[in-house]
Amino acid sequence: MAEKIATREAYGKALVELGEKNKNIVVLDADLSKSTKTANFAKKFPERFFDMGISEADMMTTAAGFATCGKIPFASTFAIFATGRAYEQVRNSICYPKLNVKIAATHSGITVGEDGATHQSVEDLSLMRSIPNMCVICPADAVETRAAIFAAVDYKGPVYIRLGRLSVPVIYDENNFKFELGKSILVKGGKDLTIIAVGIMVAKALEAALKLKEEGIDARVIDMHTIKPVDKEAVVKAAKETGAIVTCEEHSIIGGLGSAVAEVLSEEAPVFLKRIGIEDKFGQSGAPDKLMELYGLTSDRIADESRKILKRLKTK
């Protein structure tokens, strides 16, 4: 069984590592530093850590101010608060002037679990993807998270990084891993159809591909870690070479990965598409694994939808 690490844990460690290398990095948190793991940075660099209290809008505006002075601020809180409560400040104070602010949003999706619908953000990717100048990333595991945080520092402009609470399988080998903003990763080759996944759904997409392989179905799996700008080249290539695409995300099917892929396909390479995600519903309280089953975010569902789309492809 693969080692499991929460992406928020990897974020906390990456911040400390970067803090040693770059004195311009400052970290802000909205009274959740133990949960977001920015407490690691606060302990190591107390002079560069700012607990803003339960005041997310103020935190975003303060981060914008730091950026105007040449600092590289990481503003951290739960995804629902970073994107919902502070939306206006993110839009008007950070993205409109294209300031160099990084928003690290933990506890995204329904795997927040027992905290329930009020703390489960299933709309954050949609909100952030729609704001001009915003780059949007959702890493799949701890190795990719570290690389994404480092890439975000090198990128000049606002970046939204979606992280999770739950420990998830480590997919990548840190010794030979390469990450590039806007360039997806071909995790598994295949010719019969393509499964494009993001975040914790990448591991489930790989599980589904193994199940399909036992039936003689050769599925391609792509990790679309950067949702904006989405890797159009990879989407079009997959459409032309496999003829059918299934997208998987722990997010509403409205406005997230599935929508981004659908936009590319409709304009450049129309093929059969099935979007797997949360279907215009709020989350609810429950154990993370049970919720994933309830909302159809499982490898069995991915495999089943893949079979259906292949059947449509063969009978068209």
Side-chain angles (χ1 to χ4, degrees), residues 57 106 165:
T106 65
R165 177 190 197 179

Side-chain angles (χ1 to χ4, degrees), residues 9 20 31 85 125 131 144 209 217 219 237 269 284 313:
E9 295 279 359
E20 297 277 10
D31 202 31
R85 189 174 289 178
L125 293 177
I131 306 177
E144 192 166 69
I217 299 171
K237 186 173 189 289
Q284 56 186 293
L313 183 63

Side-chain angles (χ1 to χ4, degrees), residues 129-300:
R129 199 170 74 87
S130 66
I131 306 177
N133 294 330
M134 180 65 94
C135 175
V136 180
I137 307 171
C138 181
D141 74 353
V143 173
E144 192 166 69
T145 297
R146 177 187 178 277
I149 299 300
F150 273 68
V153 170
D154 291 337
Y155 177 82
K156 303 301 181 187
V159 181
Y160 177 75
I161 308 149
R162 188 189 212 227
L163 305 167
R165 177 190 197 179
L166 194 67
S167 293
V168 294
V170 176
I171 299 170
Y172 297 112
D173 181 351
E174 62 183 351
N175 296 314
N176 55 20
F177 182 70
K178 182 181 178 183
F179 181 92
E180 185 178 353
L181 281 178
K183 290 293 182 184
S184 61
I185 297 173
L186 178 63
V187 188
K188 177 191 172 301
K191 58 181 175 51
D192 293 332
L193 83 157
T194 300
I195 304 170
I196 301 179
V198 69
I200 67 172
M201 295 303 290
V202 175
K204 296 190 180 300
L206 285 169
E207 290 176 12
L210 286 176
K211 292 175 181 176
L212 294 168
K213 186 179 180 181
E214 293 175 357
E215 303 167 23
I217 299 171
D218 188 14
R220 181 179 304 186
V221 177
I222 292 175
D223 172 7
M224 192 64 73
H225 53 72
T226 307
I227 299 178
K228 184 187 178 187
V230 73
D231 188 349
K232 292 183 179 180
E233 183 180 355
V235 173
V236 172
K237 186 173 189 289
K240 291 182 176 178
E241 292 181 354
T242 69
I245 291 178
V246 176
T247 61
C248 312
E249 57 193 312
E250 187 204 4
H251 181 270
S252 171
I253 59 170
I254 301 171
L257 170 69
S259 294
V261 170
E263 290 161 13
V264 175
L265 294 178
S266 64
E267 292 181 351
E268 302 192 29
V271 294
F272 289 119
L273 168 69
K274 176 63 183 179
R275 295 171 296 154
I276 295 177
I278 299 166
E279 298 188 6
D280 202 19
K281 296 178 181 176
F282 286 108
Q284 56 186 293
S285 180
D289 289 346
K290 295 294 183 185
L291 291 176
M292 293 292 276
E293 290 179 14
L294 183 65
Y295 287 86
L297 306 181
T298 65
S299 59
D300 284 341

Side-chain angles (χ1 to χ4, degrees), residues 19-20 22-27 41 45-50:
E20 297 277 10
N22 191 330
K23 303 301 182 188
N24 283 324
I25 290 176
V26 297
V27 175
F41 188 94
F45 310 104
E47 74 283 2
R48 287 191 272 149
F49 176 80
F50 303 88

Side-chain angles (χ1 to χ4, degrees), residues 300-313:
D300 284 341
R301 168 89 187 288
I302 298 169
D304 187 46
E305 296 293 352
S306 297
R307 295 183 196 102
K308 290 178 182 176
I309 204 168
L310 279 174
K311 188 176 180 181
R312 291 176 63 196
L313 183 63

